[in-house]
């Protein structure tokens, strides 16, 4: 499975697209493309990073904050402009269908029913096992000001966890044991922020449950500018194999 960081920014970072990650999950017969979150600025970043953009199979929405789902109207309209006919799966928390329908009507009145392709919604409950573009997944509630879900995604090439926005609940840490790649929101490096994770909290968790590789995303814009250089030594201090990806960074999970 190939993992492409289309965007790695927090909500309002003027230098980085919103955090949005593309999975290209390949097996012998096919390649499934899944986009994890689609915020304000994510759709152009996806287009920039995917040579075959119409081949997207599914979008995962971690929660209903603008920097995680308000890129969907432009994504849908662009698919429509390019003549997409195949259905698109959109998975997310309860209310995803209603909120996405509302923002589509606000952004492009009258277009929702005339896209030319079907949007297949799948709303998942915290703790629910479900199928995401043909692979097994588990939705884990994370601590955030609104209902928010982390995604534990199991493909044939390994297990990936994406926290979305929010802190992993201590009681769920063991579910991430041995995970091949953990992509975590780390809003600050050291400072604790309610409803968010710090890099320190993520690295302590990763070390305790032996996550094989860690990517830190969604870092507060000033914090990232000021402290990006020291992140590698910080990882080393905790004995964690991790990195701070930039936009366009990709890696292979095998
Ligand atoms: Zn949020």
């Amino acid at each position: 499975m190939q993992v492409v960081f289309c965007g790695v920014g927090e909500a309002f970072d003027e230098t980085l697209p919103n955090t949005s990650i593309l999975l290209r999950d390949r097996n012998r017969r096919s390649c499934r493309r899944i986009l994890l979150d689609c915020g304000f600025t994510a759709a152009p970043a996806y287009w920039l990073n995917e040579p075959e953009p119409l081949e997207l199979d599914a979008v995962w929405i971690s929660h209903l904050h603008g920097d995680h789902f308000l890129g969907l109207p432009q994504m849908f309209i662009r698919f429509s402009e390019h003549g997409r006919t195949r259905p698109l799966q959109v998975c997310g928390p309860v209310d995803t269908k209603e909120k996405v329908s509302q923002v589509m009507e606000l952004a492009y009145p009258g277009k929702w029913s005339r896209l030319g392709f079907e949007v297949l919604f799948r709303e998942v409950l915290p703790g629910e096992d479900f199928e995401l573009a043909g692979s097994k997944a588990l939705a884990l509630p994370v601590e955030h000001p609104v209902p928010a879900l982390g995604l534990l995604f199991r493909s044939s090439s390994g297990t990936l966890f994406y926290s979305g926005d929010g802190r992993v609940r201590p009681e769920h840490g063991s579910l991430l044991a041995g995970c091949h790649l953990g992509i975590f929101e780390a809003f600050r490096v050291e400072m604790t922020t309610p409803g968010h994770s710090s890099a320190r909290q993520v690295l302590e968790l990763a070390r305790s449950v032996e996550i094989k590789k860690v990517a830190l995303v969604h870092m507060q814009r000033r914090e990232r500018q000021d402290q990006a250089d020291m992140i590698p030594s910080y990882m080393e201090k905790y004995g964690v194999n991790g990195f701070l990806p930039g936009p366009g960074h990709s890696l292979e999970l095998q």
Side-chain angles (χ1 to χ4, degrees):
M1 179 164 66
Q2 192 178 29
V3 180
V4 183
F5 294 86
C6 300
V8 296
E10 44 104 305
F12 313 121
D13 192 323
E14 70 274 31
T15 64
L16 296 170
N18 294 148
T19 291
S20 180
I21 296 127
L22 173 64
L23 308 181
R24 293 195 190 103
D25 189 14
R26 296 190 192 93
N27 61 31
R28 274 187 215 133
R29 284 174 299 170
S30 66
C31 173
R32 300 290 179 101
R33 291 171 177 80
I34 303 159
L35 191 67
L36 307 181
D37 277 335
C38 188
F40 308 119
T41 55
Y46 165 73
W47 239 267
L48 197 62
N49 283 282
E50 174 51 66
E52 297 180 88
L54 297 188
E55 296 303 311
L56 188 66
D57 293 282
V59 181
W60 164 253
I61 299 296
S62 63
H63 66 301
L64 297 167
H65 270 161
D67 56 317
H68 293 262
F69 90 109
L70 280 183
L72 285 176
Q74 60 165 310
M75 179 75 95
F76 292 161
I77 296 294
R78 190 151 180 196
F79 279 148
S80 187
E81 275 189 355
H82 288 266
R84 181 181 179 122
T85 55
R86 59 188 293 231
L88 177 72
Q89 185 185 20
V90 174
C91 290
V94 171
D95 284 344
T96 296
K97 182 176 181 179
E98 190 191 344
K99 297 282 187 199
V100 171
S101 309
Q102 286 173 355
V103 298
M104 268 300 292
E105 196 50 36
L106 278 172
Y108 298 100
K111 286 280 192 182
W112 187 218
S113 56
R114 294 186 282 117
L115 286 176
F117 65 94
E118 204 177 348
V119 178
L120 305 172
F121 286 99
R122 171 74 162 88
E123 295 183 353
V124 295
L125 296 169
E128 187 175 346
D129 285 300
F130 66 105
E131 211 171 87
L132 182 59
S135 289
K136 288 190 168 140
L138 169 66
L140 280 182
V142 294
E143 292 173 9
H144 199 53
V146 299
L149 299 171
L151 176 75
L152 190 59
F153 182 76
R154 301 182 178 99
S155 83
S156 53
S157 54
T159 306
L160 175 145
F161 177 71
Y162 170 54
S163 72
D165 197 357
R167 187 184 174 196
V168 174
R169 296 183 181 178
E171 66 268 28
H172 292 148
S174 60
L175 292 170
L176 311 186
C179 188
H180 294 87
L181 175 65
I183 304 170
F184 291 90
E185 183 243 7
F187 198 60
R188 301 279 185 169
V189 176
E190 284 277 351
M191 192 194 299
T192 303
T193 313
H196 290 277
S197 268
S198 67
R200 179 175 58 75
Q201 289 166 333
V202 168
L203 297 183
E204 283 172 357
L205 170 68
R207 183 172 59 185
S208 70
V209 300
E210 298 183 7
I211 295 171
K212 294 185 168 61
K213 200 175 184 77
V214 167
L216 300 180
V217 296
H218 206 287
M219 191 170 280
Q220 199 275 342
R221 51 195 181 275
R222 287 236 165 72
E223 192 99 344
R224 182 170 171 125
Q225 280 165 14
D226 294 347
Q227 308 221 33
D229 289 350
M230 53 76 71
I231 293 294
S233 59
Y234 203 70
M235 302 269 188
E236 215 169 290
K237 185 176 115 186
Y238 280 88
V240 170
N241 176 17
F243 63 111
L244 188 68
H249 188 118
S250 71
L251 63 95
E252 203 73 43
L253 215 70
Q254 42 196 326

